[in-house]
Amino acid sequence: TASLGLPAAILVIAGFGFKASLAPFHQWAPDAYDGAPTPVTAFLSTASKATGFALLIRALLVALPAAQVQWTAILAGIAMATMTLGNLAALRQTNVKRLLAYSSIAQAGYILIGLVAATAAPGKTFNGVNGVLIYLFAYLFTNIGAFITVTAVEDATGSVQLKDWSGLITRQPFLAITMLIFMLSLAGIPPTGGFLGKFFVFGAAVQSRVFALAAVAVVNAAIAAFYYLSVVRYMFFEPQGERTAFKVSRPVQAVIALATIMTLVIGLYPAPFIQWATQAVLPILASL
């Protein structure tokens, strides 16, 4: 019954919420991301988060569907808190790794919208869970690309401070242009994969009439655009001072180029990814 399923749902949300860095279980993420080597941070912010959401979806929708009304209400509140806390904290950051860490927390809040709006109507374009898969797939390439770019700049400058990204377009145009694409994707601006992910989870919220959550998400997306574009401002419009140009190794360039291409392909040619995500969630939705 729903009454018996609710305590189990709360424990499941707490456990996987920690892994996915959902509020109020997110406190570990900024310090862990900042202290770890940047490649490890890239792994934590993508693979760990995707695993947490995959298990959370299966646990709630497959094992605890009887309590869906109750855990949906809890997740809606967590999603609002996660987005807001992550974005407001990111606004104050001058360390790029910590900025992306708090961004990762906010992104988890956006992804959670899809689970809140999950519906058992597979005929609908937005069934919530397909939005989660699309968002995670786009986020995988975007965030890995962003963190590998941070690694390249850190190796060259010895710093992860935002001020040291000044004039990057003249010192290393390849990194500046690719980071621009990653920032646009994280902000949800077309034609990137991040836009497609946000479109599907926001669309699911509106379709499910979770209007309050959708409104909070839109406001948070506007807040997030400010600090993402702040990184762009430093790279393109701040003077570089005495800093010199530097080179990036071919393997690093290849990884960043692949991440950039996939971020754009998902946004420009979304049909196969939408079909893949929609077909993949049918067995889960059938259990509702």
Short mmCIF file of all heavy atoms in Angstrom, two decimals, residues 5 18 39 71 101 108 111 122 125 188 223 231 249 252 264:
data_model
loop_
_atom_site.label_atom_id
_atom_site.label_comp_id
_atom_site.label_asym_id
_atom_site.label_seq_id
_atom_site.Cartn_x
_atom_site.Cartn_y
_atom_site.Cartn_z
N GLY A 5 4.62 1.98 1.50
CA GLY A 5 5.65 2.30 0.54
C GLY A 5 6.33 3.62 0.78
O GLY A 5 7.47 3.82 0.36
N PHE A 18 21.88 11.27 -2.14
CA PHE A 18 23.28 11.54 -1.80
C PHE A 18 24.18 11.28 -3.00
O PHE A 18 25.06 12.09 -3.33
CB PHE A 18 23.70 10.67 -0.61
CG PHE A 18 25.12 10.87 -0.18
CD1 PHE A 18 25.45 11.85 0.73
CD2 PHE A 18 26.13 10.07 -0.69
CE1 PHE A 18 26.77 12.04 1.13
CE2 PHE A 18 27.45 10.23 -0.30
CZ PHE A 18 27.77 11.22 0.62
N PRO A 39 40.08 15.26 -13.68
CA PRO A 39 39.47 14.12 -14.38
C PRO A 39 38.57 13.29 -13.47
O PRO A 39 37.54 12.77 -13.90
CB PRO A 39 40.68 13.31 -14.86
CG PRO A 39 41.78 14.31 -14.97
CD PRO A 39 41.55 15.26 -13.84
N TRP A 71 5.64 10.23 -3.02
CA TRP A 71 7.05 10.52 -3.31
C TRP A 71 7.22 11.56 -4.41
O TRP A 71 8.25 12.24 -4.48
CB TRP A 71 7.88 9.28 -3.55
CG TRP A 71 7.52 8.30 -4.63
CD1 TRP A 71 7.04 7.04 -4.46
CD2 TRP A 71 7.69 8.45 -6.05
NE1 TRP A 71 6.88 6.40 -5.68
CE2 TRP A 71 7.29 7.25 -6.67
CE3 TRP A 71 8.15 9.48 -6.86
CZ2 TRP A 71 7.31 7.06 -8.05
CZ3 TRP A 71 8.18 9.30 -8.24
CH2 TRP A 71 7.75 8.10 -8.82
N ALA A 101 30.87 22.61 -9.88
CA ALA A 101 30.34 21.70 -8.86
C ALA A 101 28.93 22.11 -8.45
O ALA A 101 28.01 21.29 -8.39
CB ALA A 101 31.27 21.68 -7.65
N ALA A 108 21.21 18.55 -11.35
CA ALA A 108 20.51 17.41 -10.77
C ALA A 108 19.06 17.77 -10.46
O ALA A 108 18.15 16.95 -10.61
CB ALA A 108 21.22 16.94 -9.51
N ILE A 111 17.15 17.64 -13.74
CA ILE A 111 16.93 16.25 -14.17
C ILE A 111 15.80 15.62 -13.36
O ILE A 111 14.97 14.87 -13.90
CB ILE A 111 18.23 15.44 -14.01
CG1 ILE A 111 19.33 15.99 -14.92
CG2 ILE A 111 17.99 13.97 -14.30
CD1 ILE A 111 20.71 15.43 -14.65
N PRO A 122 2.66 6.23 -22.53
CA PRO A 122 3.79 6.17 -23.45
C PRO A 122 3.53 6.86 -24.78
O PRO A 122 4.45 7.15 -25.51
CB PRO A 122 4.02 4.67 -23.64
CG PRO A 122 2.71 4.04 -23.30
CD PRO A 122 2.10 4.90 -22.25
N THR A 125 4.52 12.66 -26.04
CA THR A 125 5.90 13.02 -26.37
C THR A 125 6.75 13.16 -25.12
O THR A 125 7.88 12.69 -25.05
CB THR A 125 5.93 14.34 -27.16
OG1 THR A 125 5.13 14.21 -28.33
CG2 THR A 125 7.36 14.70 -27.55
N GLY A 188 21.25 25.63 -21.36
CA GLY A 188 20.03 25.22 -22.07
C GLY A 188 19.71 26.08 -23.26
O GLY A 188 18.53 26.32 -23.56
N ILE A 223 18.75 32.38 -13.84
CA ILE A 223 19.83 32.66 -12.90
C ILE A 223 21.12 31.98 -13.35
O ILE A 223 22.21 32.56 -13.33
CB ILE A 223 19.44 32.19 -11.48
CG1 ILE A 223 18.26 33.01 -10.96
CG2 ILE A 223 20.63 32.30 -10.53
CD1 ILE A 223 17.70 32.49 -9.65
N VAL A 231 31.53 33.12 -17.40
CA VAL A 231 32.72 32.41 -17.87
C VAL A 231 33.04 32.83 -19.30
O VAL A 231 34.19 33.09 -19.66
CB VAL A 231 32.52 30.88 -17.80
CG1 VAL A 231 33.74 30.15 -18.36
CG2 VAL A 231 32.24 30.44 -16.36
N SER A 249 47.61 19.17 -25.79
CA SER A 249 48.02 17.92 -26.42
C SER A 249 46.92 17.38 -27.34
O SER A 249 45.74 17.65 -27.15
CB SER A 249 48.37 16.88 -25.36
OG SER A 249 47.20 16.49 -24.65
N VAL A 252 44.03 15.29 -25.64
CA VAL A 252 43.07 16.16 -24.95
C VAL A 252 42.18 16.88 -25.97
O VAL A 252 40.96 16.99 -25.79
CB VAL A 252 43.80 17.17 -24.04
CG1 VAL A 252 42.83 18.21 -23.48
CG2 VAL A 252 44.50 16.44 -22.90
N LEU A 264 26.63 19.11 -29.86
CA LEU A 264 25.93 19.78 -30.96
C LEU A 264 25.03 18.81 -31.73
O LEU A 264 23.92 19.18 -32.14
CB LEU A 264 26.94 20.43 -31.90
CG LEU A 264 27.70 21.63 -31.32
CD1 LEU A 264 28.78 22.09 -32.29
CD2 LEU A 264 26.75 22.78 -31.00
#
